[in-house]
Amino acid sequence: MADSNAKMPQATPQEVIISVVAGLLAPLLAIFLVVQLVLSIQESHKPDVSSEAAQKATLARIKPLAQLAAVDANAPKVEKSGQEVYDAVCTSCHAAGALGAPKFDNKGDWGPRIKQGYDTLIKHAIEGIRQMPARGGDGDLSDVEVARAVAYMANSAGASFKAPEAAPAAVAAAAAATPPAAAEPASAAQPDPAKGKLVYDAHCAVCHSTGVAGAPKAGDKAAWSARLSQGYPMLLDHALKGIRGMPAKGGNADLPDADLANAVGYLVIEAGGKL
Ligand code: HEC
Ligand code: HEC
């Protein structure tokens, strides 16, 4: 027994120190790793704390979808209908009410907004308001396309806004529908600005009273002076056929040429021009 005791390996002081240090280090290392893990988990959750950041992330997630759809339909820039724009861009928020968007077809959501009027709604949709991004986040949409989508949505919820119509197709249809002999040259008739006021209120004010889409405002001499120098027949021609943001006949293919001429006459007189 004494012999075997004597054979038990005797730890040298160095060995004792090493084993004590190792015994302390192992738990310390474990604690260090756990702390690292916790910190890295906290780090990855941080962005959710700010609702603004979360909202941006949501927008970023939604955006590629909307753009993809727009690129598809835009190939030869054909202006989309309100429903097409809604399906491609607006539905991502307005179908389910994401971010507090007024829901499609929901009178309660839209009632108070519709009361603001079509012009204001178009302006808010184009410029964006609170959580509503400008043009629904699709910068490729024209003002007219946004205006149509607004009408499509608001009308689903009880409004009866008249959306601006397509320009080139509408003109072609109108030309086909009207026997050429009956269509007197528009510039031949002397316009009647007083009658034109009624036409303006019904068909042109939607853009020309607020300047939506860059339309020159009625009565705004500065906005009209350069245009007036083109002369009334040229202005009428542009209003008839459309030019840039101005749809042919203001988007009303059915508008008789004489009514259009009266409306242009009204705009010219209001701006201080001559017929
Ligand atoms: C990213 C989500 C999102 C998309 C996409 C979106 N909207 Fe909105 N929209 C909102 C939200 C949120 C509101 C409510 C804003 C508020 O009043 O606080 C809103 C409100 C509106 C309003 C009412 C504004 C007012 O003055 O009351 C109109 C009109 C509108 N959107 C049109 C559109 C159109 C048109 C599109 C597509 C081209 C579109 N929206 C796409 C989120 C969106
Ligand atoms: C959908 C919006 C919209 C409607 C509706 C509309 N306009 Fe315009 N109009 C415009 C825009 C935008 C311009 C400016 C175009 C440009 O020069 O870039 C414009 C320009 C014009 C011009 C000046 C053209 C020129 O050569 O400078 C005349 C005239 C005009 N509109 C008449 C009318 C009449 C008349 C109506 C109603 C029958 C009408 N518009 C309805 C958007 C509209």
Side-chain angles (χ1 to χ4, degrees):
M1 286 294 267
D3 208 8
S4 72
N5 256 347
K7 285 242 168 103
M8 280 277 283
Q10 288 289 312
T12 64
Q14 287 94 324
E15 281 171 338
V16 170
I17 291 170
I18 286 169
S19 65
V20 165
V21 168
L24 279 175
L25 275 183
L28 276 179
L29 187 69
I31 290 171
F32 174 76
L33 289 176
V34 168
V35 167
Q36 286 291 306
L37 188 69
V38 168
L39 283 180
S40 74
I41 288 172
Q42 274 177 352
E43 195 68 23
S44 68
H45 277 261
K46 240 181 211 155
D48 279 354
V49 175
S50 138
S51 73
E52 200 190 357
Q55 179 205 333
K56 284 216 180 92
T58 308
L59 290 185
R61 277 200 300 277
I62 290 167
K63 215 175 171 207
L65 276 177
Q67 280 178 340
L68 216 82
V71 166
D72 246 18
N74 269 357
K77 180 67 182 163
V78 174
E79 300 230 291
K80 281 176 273 172
S81 73
Q83 184 176 358
E84 283 165 343
V85 174
Y86 173 79
D87 287 345
V89 181
C90 323
T91 183
S92 52
C93 294
H94 284 274
L99 302 174
K103 277 189 241 150
F104 190 80
D105 199 15
N106 185 313
K107 292 204 168 79
D109 282 3
W110 278 100
R113 297 182 187 270
I114 289 169
K115 286 212 189 86
Q116 302 177 102
Y118 189 32
D119 292 347
T120 305
L121 289 175
I122 294 174
K123 187 169 182 292
H124 290 168
I126 288 175
E127 292 171 2
I129 178 170
R130 293 178 289 265
Q131 308 261 56
M132 162 74 199
R135 294 173 202 271
D138 184 347
D140 289 341
L141 289 180
S142 72
D143 291 357
V144 168
E145 286 173 321
V146 174
R148 287 181 191 155
V150 170
Y152 176 68
M153 272 198 279
N155 291 353
S156 81
S160 47
F161 297 142
K162 190 170 180 329
E165 278 162 33
V171 163
T178 324
E184 89 189 87
S187 53
Q190 181 66 17
D192 180 341
K195 282 188 193 153
K197 166 97 172 73
L198 300 175
V199 179
Y200 166 83
D201 286 343
H203 301 294
C204 322
V206 61
C207 295
H208 285 276
S209 67
T210 56
V212 80
K217 283 196 212 169
D220 179 343
K221 295 202 167 81
W224 279 96
S225 66
R227 297 179 188 273
L228 289 179
S229 65
Q230 301 176 97
Y232 164 75
M234 182 63 84
L235 289 170
L236 177 58
D237 189 60
H238 288 167
L240 190 65
K241 295 177 185 148
I243 179 168
R244 295 176 290 264
M246 164 71 197
K249 291 191 166 189
N252 303 274
D254 303 342
L255 196 66
D257 287 356
D259 283 1
L260 183 76
N262 290 341
V264 173
Y266 168 75
L267 282 167
V268 167
I269 296 299
E270 281 294 291
K274 289 199 194 73
L275 297 174

